[in-house]
């Protein structure tokens, strides 16, 4: 009987804590660092519109499906899928969905940690006054100096992995719950302050126009793929993080309401981050499409000029580190929990093993910004000119996460019996249940597959689209 299954790793103390933790997982570098720079690289408005569509059509249905599977299975994604496949009399191969997630988590965290390391380095830079009265050019130099120095990147990458593992070792209700309660609201308030600054001193209208006026000439299959990938990445979907967190969710909490709240909070933070950054970009004649360095080249200008900038700047980067921290924990938790279940080892040993593996893969990203900028083996393919970091980012966000999300929807909306689905979701409103089922059954899987095929050029070859 499904409802008596229990989690050996513990539970959230309430539904509210789940929302906070899941929002902590969702809100991270993806919203504040990545969303603005990908929107900037892909022309702004049209990308933002596509992104919002992807959140609504793919994000929310996948999130509900993922929490549903997690709560029903009550263990790490690999074992949850094994248990549920047996219960629903489906092939054992479903466990590979869990394995895909564990792998994606390792790969994402390996570069996520390097970028979080930039934020750590910026806490020190801001606090020591590097940016007081800084010009755009000088701010750019500070950033270039950082990323061209592998030793510094390695140092901060190491610090971040250690920080992450310190929390993971304590388990769900230890460090994690306490941290998210205070830090998430604080981050939110600080972003609002930044928007206030951008309104007063930035080119706010230009920023608004950039984010909300769609220029459809910028659209192509790659942009659609990136918007979809970003939606999965930002909501932490498709790799089991949310499934894992769902497995700690108390039985009586509503999956639909909580998923909706998490998705809303995440989207709001991404849009607000865009509103804080682009007005400063335009007021200072900076390039919106400069890539991963965008917030690191932009925000210090604001902090350098505003009164109290030293304090606000330092707090901002500290909170950015915290946002990244709560996401990083969720990236590695499925792997840590799985090793514990699989080999009956302690949480400590399991965390150590995972930490070391992630740290080692992270070296590839550390060197991606300096000595190893391009991987030559892929010359002549569509991966030409990509660095190790670009490659990991592309592979995980644009392929592994949407693929994981697609399979999650297929399992939840097709492979499970109607009875199991309804029993776990407990949606009272029949119409709302049907909307979820329709989206998860048809719209998400077909949408993801069409976007994949389109990018591979298969639809063009079949003359189905021009
Ligand atoms: N959602 C996180 C962010 O936006 C990243 C993440 C992806 C976390 C996948 C967990 C799983 O920063």
């Amino acid at each position: 009987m499904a409802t008596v299954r229990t989690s050996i790793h513990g539970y959230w103390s309430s539904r509210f804590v789940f929302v906070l933790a899941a929002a902590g997982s969702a809100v991270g570098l993806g919203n504040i660092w990545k969303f603005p720079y990908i929107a900037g690289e892909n022309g702004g408005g049209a990308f933002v519109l596509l992104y919002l569509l992807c959140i609504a059509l793919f994000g929310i249905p996948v999130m509900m499906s993922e929490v549903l599977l997690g709560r029903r299975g009550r263990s790490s994604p690999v074992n949850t899928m094994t248990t549920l496949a047996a219960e629903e009399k489906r092939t054992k191969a479903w466990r590979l969905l869990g394995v895909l997630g564990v792998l994606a988590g390792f790969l994402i965290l390996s570069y996520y940690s390097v970028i979080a390391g930039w934020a750590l380095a910026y806490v020190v830079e801001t606090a020591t006054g590097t940016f007081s009265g800084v010009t755009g050019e000088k701010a750019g130099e500070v950033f270039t100096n950082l990323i061209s120095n592998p030793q510094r990147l390695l140092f901060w990458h190491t610090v971040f992995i250690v920080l992450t593992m310190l929390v993971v070792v304590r388990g769900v209700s230890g460090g994690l719950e306490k941290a998210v309660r205070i830090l998430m609201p604080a981050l939110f308030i600080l972003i609002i302050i930044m928007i206030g600054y951008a309104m007063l001193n930035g080119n706010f209208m230009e920023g608004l126009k950039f984010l909300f006026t769609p220029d459809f000439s910028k659209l192509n299959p790659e942009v659609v793929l990136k918007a979809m990938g970003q939606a999965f990445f930002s909501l932490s979907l498709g790799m089991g993080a949310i499934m894992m967190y769902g497995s700690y969710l108390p039985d009586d909490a509503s999956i639909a309401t909580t998923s909706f709240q998490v998705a809303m909070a995440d989207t709001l933070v991404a849009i607000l981050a865009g509103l804080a950054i682009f007005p400063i970009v335009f007021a200072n004649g900076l390039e919106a499409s400069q890539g991963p360095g965008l917030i690191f080249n932009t925000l210090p200008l604001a902090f350098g000029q505003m009164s109290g900038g030293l304090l606000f700047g330092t707090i901002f980067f500290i909170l950015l580190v915290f946002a990244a921290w709560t996401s990083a924990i969720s990236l590695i938790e499925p792997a840590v929990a799985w090793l514990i279940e699989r080999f009956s080892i302690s949480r400590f040993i399991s965390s150590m093993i995972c930490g070391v593996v992630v740290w080692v893969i992270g070296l590839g990203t550390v060197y991606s910004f300096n000595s190893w900028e391009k991987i030559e083996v892929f010359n002549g393919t569509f991966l030409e000119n990509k660095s190790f970091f670009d490659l990991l980012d592309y592979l995980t966000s644009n392929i592994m996460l949407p693929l994981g999300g697609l399979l999650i929807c297929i399992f939840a909306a097709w492979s499970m019996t109607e009875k199991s689905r309804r029993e776990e979701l407990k949606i009272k409103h029949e119409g709302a249940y049907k909307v979820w089922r329709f989206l998860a059954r048809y719209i998400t899987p077909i949408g993801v597959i069409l976007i994949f095929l389109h990018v591979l050029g298969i639809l063009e070859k079949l003359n189905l689209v021009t």
Side-chain angles (χ1 to χ4, degrees), residues 333-387:
E333 178 68 16
V336 171
W338 180 44
L339 286 189
I340 298 175
E341 292 163 8
R342 176 75 178 75
F343 299 105
S344 306
I345 50 176
S346 68
R347 194 165 250 280
F348 180 77
I349 303 282
S350 172
S351 306
M352 291 300 274
I353 297 172
C354 294
V356 170
V357 173
V358 171
W359 184 83
V360 172
I361 312 175
L363 298 180
T365 297
V366 162
Y367 291 103
S368 286
F369 298 99
N370 33 72
S371 28
W372 192 33
E373 289 186 71
K374 300 269 176 300
I375 307 181
E376 267 101 34
V377 277
F378 295 119
N379 283 358
T381 73
F382 74 108
L383 296 173
E384 178 152 345
N385 277 334
K386 287 205 188 309
S387 66

Side-chain angles (χ1 to χ4, degrees), residues 25-26 28-31 108 112 233-236 239 241 327 330-331:
S25 163
L29 295 174
N31 309 61
I108 297 177
Y112 202 83
F233 183 86
S234 191
L235 292 178
S236 303
M239 53 74 59
S327 302
S330 73
L331 278 163

